[in-house]
Amino acid sequence: MLSKKISLTLSALFTLSLSACSSHPVYNGHAPHNDYSHNKRHVQNDSPRVSNWQFPEKNYRPINSSKLLGNYTEQLAMKLIENMNYINSNTPIAITSFVNLDDNLQTTNIFGNHLAESFITELQEFGLSVVDYKHTGTVHVTPNGDFSFSRNGREIKGYPHIEYTLTGTLTYTNRGVIVNARIIGAKSKVVVSSAKGFVPSFVVESLYPTRRVDGIALDAIL
C-alpha cells in the first residue's frame, strides 16, 4: 500500500514539474527570466520609439554599466583617424546628424543628434579642426537663458567654408544600432575615411526619457 502511495506521489510531482516547465521556459542566460505580461495594462503607452523601431523588450540590459555613448563614439573616431586620407589639423570638418538608413535619408532622432555632438568632442581631442555651423555669431539674451546656437538658417550669419563633412547612417536591429560613419569631401564627394560600429540598445535607451509604471520611474524598460 505504501509503495502504491509513493508511486502516486512521484507521478503527481512529475506532472507538476512538466506543467511548470511548459509555463516557464528555461532561462537562456541572455534575457531576464520574468513574465511582465500581467503588468502590461499598467504600463503607459509612451515607450520610446526610433522611427518604426522599438527598443527590444527582452534583450540584455546590465543592472550597472559604466558604458556611455562617448565610449562607442571614441572607438569610431579612432577607426576614422586610422583610415583617414587628405585631412590634417588645419582642415575644417563639419559634423552633421546621423540619419536613419531609409528611403529619403532625411530622418534623425535624439540618438543621431547625440552621436554628432559626441563626435565634436572626440575629433577635437584627436587634434582636428571642427566647424560648428549652428553658431549664430551673436549671443541672444532672454529671461530663459543666453543662447548662441540656432537651427534656423536665417539666424546663422555666413556659413563657414566647409571642405569635409563627417556624417553617417543608422541601421536598427533587435539588439541595438549599427552605425556607419564617414568623412566626405564637400566638393568631390569622395569618402576619405569610413568606420563601422555597433551601439547596444541599452545605451540608446539611456538617451531617452525614463518610462513609468503606475507613476513610478523605472531605470529599465520592461
Side-chain angles (χ1 to χ4, degrees):
M1 183 69 178
L2 180 59
S3 62
K4 185 176 181 180
K5 287 184 178 179
I6 293 174
S7 298
L8 289 173
T9 303
L10 291 173
S11 177
L13 289 173
F14 182 72
T15 303
L16 285 173
S17 66
L18 285 177
S19 63
C21 288
S22 63
S23 60
H24 298 285
V26 177
Y27 177 57
N28 60 13
H30 297 287
H33 180 56
N34 292 309
D35 183 7
Y36 295 109
S37 58
H38 62 282
N39 285 332
K40 285 185 178 179
R41 67 179 182 274
H42 300 297
V43 179
Q44 295 181 5
N45 188 23
D46 60 352
S47 59
R49 289 179 178 270
V50 181
S51 186
N52 293 323
W53 180 77
Q54 187 175 16
F55 298 131
E57 292 188 0
K58 293 186 177 180
N59 195 23
Y60 172 74
R61 293 182 180 88
I63 296 175
N64 296 309
S65 174
S66 59
K67 287 290 186 181
L68 301 173
L69 179 59
N71 299 118
Y72 297 91
T73 311
E74 181 181 8
Q75 296 173 14
L76 283 167
M78 289 179 65
K79 292 179 183 178
L80 287 170
I81 298 298
E82 291 175 359
N83 300 329
M84 195 166 57
N85 296 306
Y86 310 112
I87 293 178
N88 55 47
S89 59
N90 297 320
T91 307
I93 301 176
I95 302 174
T96 64
S97 303
F98 282 64
V99 298
N100 297 346
L101 187 58
D102 54 20
D103 294 338
N104 57 28
L105 298 176
Q106 294 290 315
T107 307
T108 191
N109 45 61
I110 294 175
F111 176 60
N113 286 326
H114 270 274
L115 198 58
E117 288 292 317
S118 187
F119 265 114
I120 293 176
T121 301
E122 296 301 332
L123 292 192
Q124 283 269 249
E125 290 184 353
F126 279 105
L128 297 180
S129 300
V130 179
V131 175
D132 198 334
Y133 50 87
K134 294 187 294 295
H135 192 271
T136 61
T138 60
V139 176
H140 187 204
V141 181
T142 74
N144 297 321
D146 309 326
F147 306 98
S148 60
F149 292 110
S150 176
R151 291 190 182 277
N152 185 342
R154 291 177 297 182
E155 295 180 355
I156 300 174
K157 299 177 181 178
Y159 284 97
H161 175 67
I162 297 174
E163 295 184 17
Y164 292 91
T165 302
L166 191 161
T167 188
T169 60
L170 308 173
T171 303
Y172 304 94
T173 73
N174 58 0
R175 296 182 58 193
V177 184
I178 299 171
V179 179
N180 283 285
R182 67 204 70 166
I183 300 177
I184 308 170
K187 292 183 178 180
S188 66
K189 303 187 186 301
V190 172
V191 176
V192 298
S193 182
S194 62
K196 181 179 181 180
F198 179 82
V199 181
S201 59
F202 71 86
V203 175
V204 182
E205 287 179 31
S206 67
L207 303 175
Y208 286 78
T210 305
R211 289 184 66 191
R212 295 175 176 270
V213 176
D214 290 334
I216 301 174
L218 301 179
D219 292 331
I221 296 179
L222 302 181

